[in-house]
Amino acid sequence: MSAAPDDTPESPHSPPSTHSAPSPHSASAREGDAAALAGSGAPGLPVGALAELQEELEAERPPRLGARRLVTGLLSAALVIVLLAVALPWATGASWAEILDALRALPVWAVPAMVLLGAGALALEALTVRAALPGASYGRALMSHAAASGTALAVPGGTTLGLGLMGWILRRGGLAVPVILTGIIAASLVEMVLTSVLIPLVGLASYALSPVLSPASLTLPGTLWAALATVLGAVLALALTAVLLRRPVLAALLRQAGSSLPEHVADTILAQRDALVAMLRSRHLALIAPTAAARLLQWGALVLAAQAVGAQVPLLLTVAVFALGRLLSLVPLTPGGAGIAETVGAAALVALGVAAAEAAAAMLLLLVAMLLVPLLAGALASVAAFTLAPRQSASS
């Protein structure tokens, strides 16, 4: 992040004053602005979705769940239950009676510890959101992030819906549309760097070193290739993002658009780019450190879950298993890879010598921190957002 593209007319330590630039209101202007913003690296957010998000923010209307999304959410929840009910015992070789016995044998501190670690990770991630949104209070950032995260986990393809909810909450807090869009892109870049690049690389290193430190190495060869492909794709996306964020390159692309892109729209896009680069330069530590600490807490939850069931797994191998789970969270079959990550993670623990029932119980315990806490926090944040007085001050 510190090596952000240069050629920015602003001082790297000055506040991104271009956030206050007026946003164009015509449809073509919105699409042009959204195209550049999407090209700036908002993972999983296509141009059309970002244009729709900008239109919703300008209209200050909340995103609509819709009957179709509600039905797909219910079907996705049913799929997660089926995966856990059928695939988890099959992958581990333990019956549900044995798994339930292992869950009943958990120490008293196990579930409260998962709740605290899950809430702590969510609170740390909100610090990254707060750093990406100048003028927003931490409470507003936490509410919007919790609502967005819970929506993304509850609804298939709910990332765009969640970002719309986040933007609406922030707009009610008095933030301008350019500030919100730039903040969303900055936070998305941080998440892409950490979850799609750094964690898989650390997991691959742990995977490679595990035979040296333990004879019970992780024997899932397909996982290695999946991790390599994911890292390669993410690195390529980051490289393209870095190129697009260079002012001369972006300016040349805008000139090539010619008459199809009005001059004032091109100026707005370049102003948004300048604000984003200035933020990445001056606030890279504030953006990266909280989310990195959140991932450490989540890894700690895996370590504690293994200890709670009495499993003895070397710390280095827990890093590999955690990285595997984060990779599987990108699988679009279920929101956040729920059900898939727990099944494969339990199979990995069994491959490391953990008893079948204990491995399944450990992953179900981890599910509290990784899924249940964000879902509950998201539901509470969404209810609070719709009941609070409109347009509270962001500094309150």
Side-chain angles (χ1 to χ4, degrees):
M1 289 286 187
S2 58
D6 51 7
D7 306 311
T8 306
E10 299 183 54
S11 168
H13 299 290
S14 62
S17 58
T18 52
H19 280 154
S20 60
S23 176
H25 295 285
S26 66
S28 60
R30 282 194 297 267
E31 292 172 2
D33 196 9
L37 290 171
S40 299
L45 198 59
V47 173
L50 193 50
E52 181 182 349
L53 172 61
Q54 183 172 351
E55 185 176 355
E56 288 181 351
L57 292 178
E58 290 171 348
E60 299 189 39
R61 62 171 180 259
R64 297 177 179 87
L65 180 60
R68 187 180 65 177
R69 279 175 167 163
L70 181 60
V71 170
T72 55
L74 293 175
L75 291 176
S76 177
L79 178 58
V80 172
I81 294 173
V82 170
L83 283 172
L84 292 175
V86 178
L88 184 61
W90 173 81
T92 58
S95 68
W96 265 107
E98 294 171 328
I99 296 173
L100 291 175
D101 286 340
L103 289 173
R104 282 191 287 265
L106 289 174
V108 177
W109 55 264
V111 173
M114 295 299 112
V115 172
L116 288 175
L117 288 171
L122 202 63
L124 285 169
E125 291 166 355
L127 287 175
T128 289
V129 175
R130 167 66 183 84
L133 294 165
S137 67
Y138 176 73
R140 182 69 58 170
L142 178 59
M143 179 190 297
S144 63
H145 172 64
S149 299
T151 303
L153 287 173
V155 182
T159 299
T160 303
L161 182 66
L163 291 178
L165 182 57
M166 168 185 274
W168 177 71
I169 293 172
L170 294 170
R171 281 293 285 152
R172 293 184 72 184
L175 291 185
V177 173
V179 175
I180 297 171
L181 291 176
T182 303
I184 286 175
I185 296 171
S188 298
L189 281 171
V190 170
E191 182 64 30
M192 181 167 67
V193 169
L194 291 176
T195 301
S196 300
V197 179
L198 183 59
I199 290 178
L201 284 175
V202 172
L204 283 174
S206 303
Y207 186 105
L209 290 174
S210 61
V212 178
L213 301 181
S214 173
S217 58
L218 194 60
T219 55
L220 295 173
T223 302
L224 177 62
W225 291 110
L228 287 173
T230 301
V231 171
L232 180 62
V235 169
L236 180 61
L238 283 175
L240 291 174
T241 298
V243 171
L244 285 172
L245 281 177
R246 291 187 61 84
R247 205 173 208 278
V249 173
L250 183 56
L253 290 175
L254 294 175
R255 285 195 299 270
Q256 288 179 4
S259 59
S260 62
L261 192 68
E263 183 178 355
H264 73 279
V265 177
D267 292 340
T268 300
I269 293 172
L270 290 174
Q272 287 286 124
R273 175 263 172 206
D274 294 342
L276 177 62
V277 171
M279 178 182 296
L280 295 178
R281 283 179 167 178
S282 62
R283 303 183 184 183
H284 51 274
L285 184 59
L287 289 167
I288 295 174
T291 298
R295 299 297 166 264
L296 285 175
L297 279 188
Q298 291 173 336
W299 167 69
L302 172 60
V303 173
L304 282 182
Q307 291 182 353
V309 299
Q312 300 297 322
V313 183
L315 282 180
L316 194 62
L317 290 175
T318 63
V319 174
V321 174
F322 177 74
L324 173 62
R326 294 303 82 216
L327 282 174
L328 291 170
S329 70
L330 304 176
V331 175
L333 184 60
T334 61
I340 301 172
E342 288 72 31
T343 298
V344 178
L349 290 177
V350 171
L352 295 174
V354 179
E358 282 69 21
M363 296 311 297
L364 289 174
L365 181 59
L366 182 63
L367 191 69
V368 174
M370 304 297 290
L371 182 65
L372 297 184
V373 168
L375 281 176
L376 180 59
L380 293 175
S382 299
V383 170
F386 279 93
T387 55
L388 285 176
R391 301 195 62 81
Q392 288 183 352
S393 171
S395 60
S396 60

